[in-house]
Amino acid sequence: MSNYHIKHLEEYYQVYRKSVRNPESFWEEIAEEHFLWRKKWDNVLSWDFKKPEVKWFEGAQLNITENCIDRHLATRGDKTAILFEPNDPNEGAEHITYRQLHHRVNKFANVLKEQGVKRGDRVCIYVPMIPELAISLLACARIGAIHNVVFAGFSANALATRINDSDCKMVITSDGSYRGAKTIDLKGIVDEALESCEGVETVLVAKRIHSDINMKEGRDKWLQPLLDAASDQCKAEVMQAEDPLFILYTSGSTGKPKGMVHTTAGYMVYTAYTFKNAFQYRENDVYWCTADIGWITGHSYIVYGPLANGATTVLFEGVPSYPDFGRFWDIVEKHKVSQFYTAPTAIRALAKQGLEFVEKYDLSSLKVLGSVGEPINEEAWHWYNDNVGKGKSPIIDSWWQTETGGIMITPIPYVTPTKPTYATLPFIGVQPCLMDEKGEELKGNQVEGRLCIKFPWPSIARTIWGNHQRYKETYFSTYENKYFTGDGALRDEVGYYRITGRVDDVIIVSGHNLGTAPIEDAINEHPAVSESAIVGFPHDVKGSALYGYITLKDVGESRNHDNLRIEINQLISDRIGPIAKLNKIQFTEGLPKTRSGKIMRRILRKIAEKDTSNLGDISTLLNPECVQDIMDNAL
Ligand code: 7RM
């Protein structure tokens, strides 16, 4: 038991050392003591990063839903598993207990079976943030079907690509979805996508907005009547440890999206163990991650990790700005949220709104604040720390990826002293290293390089669906025998890691390697600045020079832009050095972002390079309209 819940720093170092010296016996002990197995493994780990091939707990048999639901029934049957907070606060929250979740997942699983879904089949889930979304993932897992969740903000084209690539035979969706004051015609998007998806036989439609939609005879079926008629008992399919649990697409910098494949046992063990420790979850806590289940953060830290720990996990349908910018804090107060996990983009958007929205609410239930998705800039870190955490809730800046399945580098709250903008120390069992351009590992502290992982952890993605070669080339070919993350990082004098941004964002100015994060950090400290993004553009003397796109807090900022430019460069000069001063500064109305809130520097780089003939597919952006505006005003 002792290793499962880390409580102080010395213990962290001790358990960490153990996990690195003898990973197999370490993970075996965790797996042995904290999960329900139908059969134990024959072999804890076999791996070869050259092939690449990784297998954890081979020979073991289990079903992840028995771990996330059934085993809690005896002790937590009446505890809230999922706390659904709808888009419209007046609709009222819905508490789904573990017992109710058990019934609903079983019914849904039986419907899937009746509709011809078999073990190993792929099911596409294109559902907004309503309980049916979490339940549909679990229903697939119950019967051994492989879920492929597509974020319900993606276009018909993006949806069709993902359905076809993984050859899904069924799509689960809803009539429509709410997004603040707007509704979205999801079923219409599905209909359009399916015009180019021949393999889809059945579409199950949940009712959410009660809109008048088209139902295609023989293909489309309303979900509710099928659920009503189904039995609430469904035996869990006994799965092999390495059977795929799900596919989740992540966009590559070039080419089509990559269907990352996660398997069952290792993913379960790692997401459960990281959840328990990175959030210090205790039995009566209410935990809330604001991500969408359409991203890996939602898979691992709304659904599987929390439920495997018998936690109460909030599922929020809405947006931070509806009915006003106090919505997050209203929910924290109402449900006495203890752990709150969000993204820097959301923090910056809320910080821009001023303090009155935060100060109105009682946030004293909060114990842990989390950040994920992008480097959190210093200014946003302090805003979060001071105004949300009131200086007493540690911020866990957690670094990880769709490919890693779970959190890899993070402070453990109340254990690891935090440091703004630092993800700090590797999680238990994670062996990061930094590499230089020549492929040599940088030893010791105070070094900066490319972030790799030397040894497999249980939830590493096993392949790219249908393209193992691409998996090998993308992650295991840059450095021999190492998993390459694509991120740059530095290690400070005590061994803390700071992620400096994607390596393709690293800009070499007059021979100096500059990461985007520290420069953006300095810029964002300026009181008039809301957000910024830095890219390089060709320069005859420096090789590359810096181009900054900056969004001001007050769009109609009346101050002289030239003065602002001088002040901003002065700040950069003070914080980093004159080498990092910007050659060009363009003030923008907004920055292009992915649907999960990451700034798309690739597009900004093209504009800075004056190469806008091929911007790639911008239709999946959150705000494609800002691209034209940026192009029109480019310097
Ligand atoms: C969980 C998630 C992965 C990329 C990753 C980084 C960036 C994520 C942090 C971060 C700095 C962080 N999965 N990233 N977390 N950068 N600090 N705490 O976001 O597949 O969608 O993205 O996101 O570049 O490689 S993801």
Side-chain angles (χ1 to χ4, degrees), residues 250 295-297 341 344 371-376 397-403 409 421 423 485-487 499-502 596 598:
T250 183
W295 314 120
I296 191 69
T297 305
Y341 193 30
S371 171
V372 63
E374 274 197 300
I376 178 167
D397 176 0
S398 60
W399 174 85
W400 58 295
Q401 306 178 295
T402 304
E403 296 85 340
I409 304 181
T421 76
T485 66
D487 285 317
I499 312 304
T500 48
R502 300 291 306 174
S596 61
K598 295 182 207 297

Side-chain angles (χ1 to χ4, degrees), residues 330-388:
D330 179 38
I331 295 172
V332 168
E333 176 182 292
K334 185 158 83 181
H335 300 305
K336 300 197 167 40
V337 170
S338 335
Q339 291 91 358
F340 177 76
Y341 193 30
T342 196
T345 179
I347 298 168
R348 289 192 296 261
L350 294 169
K352 197 173 155 178
Q353 299 304 318
L355 283 179
E356 62 272 22
F357 292 108
V358 198
E359 285 168 349
K360 248 170 72 184
Y361 299 96
D362 175 7
L363 305 181
S364 60
S365 59
L366 287 171
K367 296 192 286 191
V368 176
L369 302 177
S371 171
V372 63
E374 274 197 300
I376 178 167
N377 52 290
E378 187 133 14
E379 166 135 317
W381 194 98
H382 285 293
W383 187 89
Y384 199 27
N385 182 63
D386 299 350
N387 302 303
V388 182

